[in-house]
Amino acid sequence: MKFARFTINGEKYTGVVIDDVIREIQGDMFGEWEYTGKIFFKHEVKFLAPLEPNQIIGIGANYVPQKEDLPDRLPEIPVFFFKPTSSVIGPEEEIVIPKGVDQVKFESELAVVIGKEAKNVPESDVLDYVFGYTIGNDVTAPQFFHQDGHWTLGKAFDTFTPLGPVIETKLDPFNVNVKARLNGVEKQNSPTAFMIIPICKMISYLTNIMTLKPGDVVLTGSPIGAEFVRAGDTIECEIEEIGTLRNTFAAAKECTKIG
Ligand code: MG
């Protein structure tokens, strides 16, 4: 089932996408909900980020170029970071390159949406706590990585976390490819099997540290191939079974003095 949020004529809706139409729902996506009977055509609406995340947690440097490169031993403490919810935008919205930022990268990622409160969950049970999956673009300005290793600021600018276009609840996350096309040219295309810390291990680990809640989003890392971009570039992050998340980079508008 594909859940989406969308807007038309200034109103916001949540619905289930079925082929070319979206059936509106009311209630809690993660709990009790029902169809309202209203139906929209996909082509007449503007998709929003498919949820307003409770919190967003990312994992760093989590893919190898090929399966043979997977390490025998996993890092004892994985690199996790938070992204602010204020950085979230939806499909087709502009990613704004802030003034004074020289280098910005796209990072196409499988994003896990948590559906149930999760604390101390063993790896074998993690999928019971997952609501579904969407696509995230973990946009990054590495010049703001602190020399001591903090990544938060470089990933925190407004518009730096496009999400969408839908949350797919029926997905085999171990059997999909994470792709990115920059101006139509493929730059990333790796199976999730190339993850260093697999999904169940990373989420189990997180639940041993913090309670995860419905609406939390875990960005699972980006394949090899992320590149720097410029204003005007178009980035399409794609996982075929979910869809395509398309955004364009724009330079921040200059502040002009009037008078
Ligand atoms: Mg990333």
Side-chain angles (χ1 to χ4, degrees), residues 59-60 81 107 109 138 140 155 221-222:
I59 188 165
F81 54 87
E107 292 186 3
E109 309 200 3
D138 175 23
T140 299
K155 290 175 175 286
S222 198

Side-chain angles (χ1 to χ4, degrees), residues 73-259:
R73 291 189 54 188
L74 298 181
E76 237 166 75
I77 303 179
V79 177
F80 285 109
F81 54 87
F82 281 92
K83 296 197 82 160
T85 54
S86 50
S87 66
V88 172
I89 58 170
E92 304 294 337
E93 285 191 68
E94 281 185 344
I95 304 166
V96 178
I97 301 173
K99 273 171 82 176
V101 174
D102 306 325
Q103 292 186 318
V104 169
K105 271 195 317 181
F106 63 85
E107 292 186 3
S108 183
E109 309 200 3
L110 174 68
V112 180
V113 179
I114 301 295
K116 285 195 276 189
E117 191 163 299
K119 179 70 181 168
N120 293 329
V121 176
E123 280 178 48
S124 55
D125 294 350
V126 160
L127 294 187
D128 297 341
Y129 294 82
V130 172
F131 176 74
Y133 305 86
T134 188
I135 302 166
N137 187 348
D138 175 23
V139 180
T140 299
Q143 80 190 70
F144 281 82
F145 283 10
H146 195 276
Q147 58 190 5
D148 288 344
H150 304 295
W151 289 17
T152 297
L153 292 183
K155 290 175 175 286
F157 291 95
D158 287 359
T159 75
F160 269 29
T161 312
L163 293 175
V166 300
I167 301 170
E168 173 60 89
T169 57
K170 296 270 175 282
L171 184 84
D172 175 3
F174 311 113
N175 198 21
V176 294
N177 274 49
V178 177
K179 303 179 186 175
R181 285 186 300 275
L182 181 64
N183 301 322
V185 178
E186 186 171 281
K187 298 293 182 181
Q188 294 183 298
N189 184 354
S190 292
T192 49
F194 290 5
M195 282 186 194
I196 296 168
I197 301 178
I199 292 166
C200 292
K201 192 175 274 294
M202 85 175 74
I203 291 176
S204 173
Y205 185 97
L206 282 171
T207 69
N208 292 332
I209 309 266
M210 64 187 92
T211 302
L212 295 180
K213 295 193 171 171
D216 283 352
V217 171
V218 180
L219 299 171
T220 57
S222 198
I224 304 304
E227 285 186 3
F228 291 119
V229 297
R230 293 181 188 170
D233 285 347
T234 296
I235 184 69
E236 293 167 286
C237 299
E238 183 176 270
I239 295 171
E240 274 173 34
E241 294 79 356
I242 301 173
T244 303
L245 171 65
R246 182 178 179 278
N247 298 90
T248 300
F249 288 88
K253 307 259 185 306
E254 294 286 328
C255 299
T256 49
K257 271 190 179 170
I258 298 171

